[in-house]
Amino acid sequence: MKLTITPQAQNWFKKELAPAKGQGIKFYGKVYGKTQVHEGFSVGMAVDTPEDPLLTTTIDEQLFYIEATDEWFFEGFNLVVDYDEKLDEPKYDFSQA
């Protein structure tokens, strides 16, 4: 399992969200929607304080993470968080780990 944030996505997060010290950008599985690998679930994201991170990535002092409670959603996959210029929002690409 790997979490990758592209430079374009990282710039979007830096511009749009302002986590306080000790907080990060959390990715999680949420009900409704669809991903390449899940029916009925999509990727959610929130500014939050890590409690029990399963996976972390830090870029320019900005923390991105997945909590251990969301292992069921990400297990067996790598997640690349990229930027969709047309929609001006993050996009999520899964691949087999």
Side-chain angles (χ1 to χ4, degrees), residues 74-91:
F74 298 98
E75 187 175 28
F77 300 104
N78 297 317
L79 175 64
V80 175
V81 181
D82 202 356
Y83 172 70
D84 186 320
E85 280 187 45
K86 193 178 284 186
L87 298 175
D88 187 30
E89 64 184 24
K91 67 178 181 177

Side-chain angles (χ1 to χ4, degrees), residues 52-84:
D52 184 20
L54 171 71
L55 188 60
T56 63
T57 298
T58 303
I59 304 169
D60 294 335
E61 299 181 23
Q62 179 59 66
L63 175 66
F64 299 91
Y65 69 100
I66 295 169
E67 287 284 355
T69 55
D70 288 301
E71 182 175 12
W72 65 272
F73 187 78
F74 298 98
E75 187 175 28
F77 300 104
N78 297 317
L79 175 64
V80 175
V81 181
D82 202 356
Y83 172 70
D84 186 320

